[in-house]
Amino acid sequence: SRCGECHEKMHDEWSRSPHAHTNDSPVYQALRDRAEAGACNRCHEPLADLGGTAEFVRKDDVSCEVCHRIERVTIHATSVDAPLERAHGTKYGPRCDVEPPYFHRAECRPLFSKAEMCAACHLLAVPRPDGTTLPVHTEYSDWQKSSYAKRGKTCQSCHMRPGVVAELATGEPEREDVPDHGFWGEKSRLRGTGLSAHAEAAVRAGEAAV
C-alpha cells in the first residue's frame, strides 16, 4: 500500500493478481503447516527472509517489495538462487529512461525483461529419498520447451501485456508500453485472449436441419 501512494495503477492491478494472494489458499496453508519450517518462504512468503513479522509477511504476499528487490537470478539444475536486496533504498526494474525518484533510488536491470526473472519462483524441484527429484513448479521449464521461447517471447510479453500508455509514477509524464501488474490472472483473462474456437455444422442429405 505504501508503493501505491505513487504507483496507484500498478498497486491496483497487483491487488487483484495471484501474487497478492499467495497465502489465501486453505490447501496451501495446511501444507505449509506440515512442511519444514520456512520451506515455502521462497515463493509464498519471501519477505520472511528479510526479517519481517509473520503477520506482515503473510499479508504482503509477493508484493512490489519482493520482485523489485531481486538482485539476480541464477538457475541451477534443480534450484534457483534469487536473493533480495536487504537495504530498502533501491528498487530495480526494466526501465532505463526514468528520472531519479525522490522517495527511493531506481536502478535499471535488463533481467526484468527476461523470462529468467520469473524463474525465481516459477521453477522448483525437491529431492526425493531415492535420489531423484520431484518437479513442483515447472512453468519456466515448460516455457523453455515451448514455441514462445523459440520465438523469443518472454513470460512478461504475455502475462504483463505491455502496450498501455500511462504514468509510471504520480506526476511523471505518460509513457508507452507500461506493463500490467495484474499478470492477467484475474478471471482467466489471459486464457480468454489466448484461446479461440471455431465450429462448423453440416446437414447431410435426407436429414432435417436442427
Side-chain angles (χ1 to χ4, degrees), residues 15 35 38 169 175 191:
S15 66
R175 300 172 185 271
R191 289 195 296 273

Side-chain angles (χ1 to χ4, degrees), residues 2-209:
R2 181 68 166 158
C3 302
E5 293 177 12
C6 289
H7 304 283
E8 184 177 2
K9 169 188 180 295
M10 292 75 172
H11 177 268
D12 289 349
E13 292 164 350
W14 166 82
S15 66
R16 299 189 297 270
S17 77
H19 285 177
H21 301 281
T22 57
N23 282 294
D24 290 359
S25 166
V27 174
Y28 163 70
Q29 293 172 4
L31 291 172
R32 179 196 63 208
D33 292 342
R34 295 185 179 202
E36 178 184 345
C40 308
N41 287 356
R42 189 191 107 192
C43 295
H44 288 269
E45 301 172 26
L47 292 178
D49 293 336
L50 298 181
T53 65
E55 181 181 4
F56 170 76
V57 165
R58 292 179 180 177
K59 181 180 178 181
D60 227 42
D61 300 288
V62 177
S63 66
C64 323
E65 284 288 354
V66 176
C67 293
H68 290 282
R69 281 196 191 202
I70 293 179
E71 295 185 89
R72 57 181 169 79
V73 174
T74 306
I75 300 174
H76 306 289
T78 59
S79 64
V80 177
D81 182 26
L84 303 183
E85 171 65 58
R86 303 196 70 83
H88 175 271
T90 301
K91 301 295 181 284
Y92 305 125
R95 304 301 289 249
C96 301
D97 59 347
V98 296
E99 294 294 327
Y102 79 93
F103 187 73
H104 60 75
R105 292 185 297 277
E107 188 172 320
C108 174
R109 292 287 176 91
L111 169 66
F112 278 71
S113 298
K114 299 178 179 179
E116 286 78 2
M117 175 71 182
C118 305
C121 279
H122 293 278
L123 180 64
L124 175 65
V126 296
R128 288 170 165 158
D130 63 2
T132 61
T133 58
L134 174 66
V136 179
H137 296 303
T138 63
E139 292 87 356
Y140 176 75
S141 55
D142 291 342
W143 169 83
Q144 285 183 304
K145 302 169 189 173
S146 73
S147 61
Y148 297 102
K150 294 180 176 64
R151 302 202 308 268
K153 289 185 68 68
T154 64
C155 314
Q156 296 92 324
S157 65
C158 289
H159 287 271
M160 298 190 78
R161 305 291 291 188
V164 177
V165 176
E167 295 177 334
L168 289 176
T170 301
E172 277 209 340
E174 290 187 338
R175 300 172 185 271
E176 295 182 351
D177 295 334
V178 175
D180 189 306
H181 284 67
F183 303 95
W184 280 62
E186 182 188 14
K187 298 180 181 177
S188 304
R189 287 193 298 163
L190 183 60
R191 289 195 296 273
T193 60
L195 298 177
S196 61
H198 176 76
E200 291 184 359
V203 179
R204 290 183 293 187
E207 292 184 353

